[in-house]
Amino acid sequence: MATIDDGKKVAEEGGGDVERAYAEDEIDVQKGDILSLEHTDPVLNAKMHLVNNAIDEIGFTRYQWKLFVLNGFGYAVDSLILLIQSIISGQAVLEFHPGYTAGLTIAAYVGMLVGALFWGLTADIIGRKFAFNVSLLLCSIFAIVAGSSPNWIVLGLFVCLSAFGGGGNLVLDTAVFLEYLPSKDQWLLTLMAAWWGIGQLIAGFFAWAFIPNFSCQDPEVFPDAEPCTYDNNKGWRYVWFASGALVFVMSILRITVIRLKETPKFLIGEGKDEQCVETLQSIAKKYNRPCSLTLDQMQACNELAVTERRPSVAHSKSRFSFGEVGVHLKGLYSTKRIGISTSLIWFSWLLIGLAYPLYNVFLPQYLSSRGADFGETSPYITWRNYTLVNFSGIWGPVLAGYMCATKLGRKYTMVIGAMITMAFFFAYTQVRTAVQNVVFTCIINFCLNIYYGTLYAYTPEVLPSAHRGTGNGIAIGWNRIMGILSAVIATVADTSTPVPIYICAALYIVMALVAVLFPFEPYGHRSS
């Protein structure tokens, strides 16, 4: 397997520029590139090393802060759209009387599944920039239209299309932010998952504001209630209108606040060394930072290609073909350790894809049923509690970000988060009062986001840059598939009982064990 040392050997035999590229490497900050010993492509590996050095040399600027916020919008929108459909589902069912009440959940997860795969693949084929600029705009348009739906089928269609637009953001947001981050600041990728909780909180606020005040009553709870119609049940429509309008504003801010440049690491995979250097130099110049990377250094790395005298490009002959997909899939299994890592990551996403919706997406029904047990039938109290639970979810990734920056690293942050979540899941089944109900749901949402937020960050960190979008998209795709399955399970099972809680607890035990087995630890290393 070719490594940096192989590059030095080639340089000593006649490639002096490559030797100097490494020998004069003063920006290494004693951190190795996480996949440096795994790459089968010495050219790509050498260039990645130089780009990482350049990014470390430039350091953290306002450009990264802008990306933290604008990419965070994608996190928020993903959770917002996912939870909005579960929030409004009950009232829409009262109005439309569908034959299959879990249809919206399936529609949302199908849209997010297709979105994750589509935007993930296009991110590796045509770049990160296009999806960054377009995905939220599509999501907002269909979210607004969903509020005007005349029947259940049309509502399901636009929920699906809105989810398609938003579903690719988790693939792109982490990749774009990571590929501009200095190595010492990579823990911020975990912290960015706090935006997921902000999206949940916004969903809770919209529900709290509109559902209790502009909704019809459930005849099963209030026998004297009037039939639900368009005129007396507009609350769920207002939730969609407000959500869509907010996402539209976010999409405009993405285009106007920052003119996103294609990420340097994607440009390397394209063989566009000159554009890569220009991008980094322009950022350094704008924020008055040093950047010693030159085009000569990048092109000197091509001498490592002993068998081929050309820059390395991570693509097939035809970009839009099954061969192109095959190149990226093969890249995710280019070595044994990378293959094991990829498989375990996908398995982790599959597990949490079942655990998360069983708890969080169906939490409104469970809270409502438990509230009824405690004598709380007020929709206002139900949605107030739901908002408090979502607020608590913001702070899990904040703690996770701190933990990831310590010697615990990403792996053991996930282990601790999963095990604590499991303990509180089991404890939650013993809740007997209204106050305990709210407190335990808040704690659980806080703890599970320690694991979830870290997994979101860990996934792109250990995937090869040239295939990051594909690997991340498939990972989140497994998550969405299990979300669809969870809707089917919820139809058969009773989500007002503790059974889904027990299932979630058991799944978190397995997640903790898988995290221990991950072959890579990003702490102290730089993403490739």
Side-chain angles (χ1 to χ4, degrees):
M1 183 182 301
T3 67
I4 292 175
D5 290 332
D6 297 324
K8 289 183 178 181
K9 182 178 179 181
V10 173
E12 290 169 355
E13 295 173 355
D17 289 337
V18 181
E19 174 67 19
R20 286 193 297 274
Y22 289 118
E24 297 176 3
D25 181 3
E26 299 175 355
I27 315 298
D28 202 348
V29 296
Q30 297 181 337
K31 294 186 178 183
D33 302 337
I34 192 169
L35 300 181
S36 62
L37 299 180
E38 302 295 325
H39 261 297
T40 56
D41 188 334
V43 177
L44 193 62
N45 187 44
K47 291 180 179 180
M48 194 69 65
H49 184 80
L50 292 174
V51 169
N52 276 335
N53 286 348
I55 292 173
D56 282 346
E57 184 181 15
I58 294 170
F60 199 88
T61 68
R62 289 197 305 276
Y63 190 78
Q64 281 88 352
W65 274 122
K66 290 177 182 179
L67 287 177
F68 180 81
V69 175
L70 296 175
N71 286 343
F73 287 168
Y75 267 81
V77 168
D78 186 280
S79 63
L80 176 69
I81 297 301
L82 181 60
L83 293 191
I84 286 298
Q85 62 81 21
S86 70
I87 287 170
I88 64 94
S89 179
Q91 292 303 131
V93 164
L94 293 177
E95 182 176 336
F96 295 135
H97 307 288
Y100 189 64
T101 57
L104 288 190
T105 300
I106 293 178
Y109 273 104
V110 167
M112 288 190 166
L113 167 63
V114 178
L117 296 175
F118 175 81
W119 297 114
L121 285 170
T122 56
D124 285 340
I125 295 173
I126 62 174
R128 282 68 158 137
K129 183 178 178 180
F130 175 76
F132 180 86
N133 291 332
V134 172
S135 58
L136 284 191
L137 181 62
L138 289 177
C139 178
S140 66
I141 292 171
F142 291 122
I144 293 172
V145 175
S148 303
S149 301
N151 56 57
W152 184 256
I153 294 176
V154 173
L155 175 60
L157 172 63
F158 286 115
V159 167
C160 182
L161 292 173
S162 180
F164 167 78
N169 278 280
L170 293 181
V171 181
L172 270 299
D173 294 332
T174 51
V176 170
F177 190 49
L178 175 64
E179 292 180 7
Y180 276 108
L181 267 182
S183 58
K184 66 182 179 63
D185 299 306
Q186 282 182 201
W187 64 273
L188 286 171
L189 197 64
T190 302
L191 178 62
M192 196 169 73
W195 282 96
W196 174 272
I198 292 173
Q200 292 178 320
L201 180 63
I202 293 171
F205 274 132
F206 285 158
W208 191 9
F210 295 121
I211 299 295
N213 300 315
F214 302 98
S215 299
C216 60
Q217 295 178 322
D218 187 349
E220 293 185 5
V221 179
F222 302 96
D224 298 331
E226 297 180 359
C228 285
T229 64
Y230 174 88
D231 294 325
N232 67 1
N233 194 37
K234 292 183 179 179
W236 69 267
R237 297 179 186 273
Y238 293 155
V239 171
W240 273 117
F241 292 149
S243 300
L246 178 62
V247 177
F248 180 76
V249 171
M250 290 178 175
S251 69
I252 298 301
L253 290 175
R254 275 196 168 187
I255 300 172
T256 56
V257 171
I258 195 171
R259 297 295 177 90
L260 182 72
K261 299 177 182 293
E262 193 57 78
T263 68
K265 293 182 180 181
F266 174 78
L267 293 172
I268 291 176
E270 296 282 284
K272 298 178 180 178
D273 297 348
E274 184 175 359
Q275 290 185 31
C276 173
V277 174
E278 287 177 356
T279 296
L280 291 170
Q281 290 285 0
S282 66
I283 294 173
K285 182 178 179 180
K286 181 175 182 179
Y287 297 101
N288 196 27
R289 300 293 180 87
C291 181
S292 57
L293 181 66
T294 66
L295 181 60
D296 288 341
Q297 288 177 327
M298 295 289 285
Q299 292 183 339
C301 294
N302 296 331
E303 296 173 21
L304 299 180
V306 178
T307 57
E308 291 183 81
R309 297 288 177 176
R310 66 176 181 82
S312 177
V313 180
H315 295 286
S316 67
K317 293 181 179 179
S318 175
R319 290 293 182 91
F320 302 97
S321 66
F322 288 110
E324 174 74 8
V325 177
V327 166
H328 294 299
L329 289 175
K330 185 178 179 180
L332 295 169
Y333 286 86
S334 55
T335 71
K336 183 178 180 180
R337 291 184 75 207
I338 291 178
I340 292 172
S341 175
T342 299
S343 298
L344 289 177
I345 287 172
W346 288 351
F347 184 54
S348 296
W349 278 97
L350 183 147
L351 291 172
I352 201 165
L354 180 59
Y356 184 83
L358 275 180
Y359 172 72
N360 229 352
V361 175
F362 298 105
L363 186 60
Q365 295 97 306
Y366 193 68
L367 279 174
S368 180
S369 65
R370 295 304 289 268
D373 292 341
F374 304 136
E376 295 178 353
T377 58
S378 167
Y380 178 88
I381 297 296
T382 296
W383 294 113
R384 181 207 65 185
N385 293 348
Y386 188 60
T387 303
L388 290 174
V389 171
N390 290 331
F391 176 75
S392 67
I394 297 174
W395 307 105
V398 176
L399 176 59
Y402 171 78
M403 294 169 67
C404 286
T406 69
K407 291 184 178 180
L408 285 172
R410 277 61 159 172
K411 289 173 57 175
Y412 289 100
T413 296
M414 283 188 277
V415 171
I416 292 171
M419 295 304 291
I420 295 175
T421 304
M422 175 272 296
F424 278 105
F425 268 133
F426 281 125
Y428 185 45
T429 61
Q430 303 304 310
V431 164
R432 294 294 181 267
T433 69
V435 174
Q436 291 175 353
N437 187 38
V438 176
V439 170
F440 270 82
T441 50
C442 286
I443 293 174
I444 289 172
N445 213 34
F446 172 85
C447 293
L448 68 82
N449 277 319
I450 294 176
Y451 174 88
Y452 215 168
T454 309
L455 181 63
Y456 268 120
Y458 178 86
T459 300
E461 280 189 292
V462 298
L463 291 173
S465 176
H467 318 293
R468 184 169 283 140
T470 302
N472 213 359
I474 293 174
I476 296 174
W478 282 115
N479 179 277
R480 307 314 190 193
I481 289 173
M482 297 310 291
I484 297 169
L485 181 60
S486 72
V488 177
I489 293 173
T491 302
V492 179
D494 186 354
T495 54
S496 64
T497 70
V499 174
I501 306 299
Y502 284 122
I503 295 174
C504 291
L507 289 172
Y508 272 92
I509 296 174
V510 180
M511 283 184 250
L513 294 174
V514 173
V516 173
L517 298 175
F518 285 146
F520 298 115
E521 172 51 64
Y523 176 73
H525 297 84
R526 309 187 298 188
S527 67
S528 294

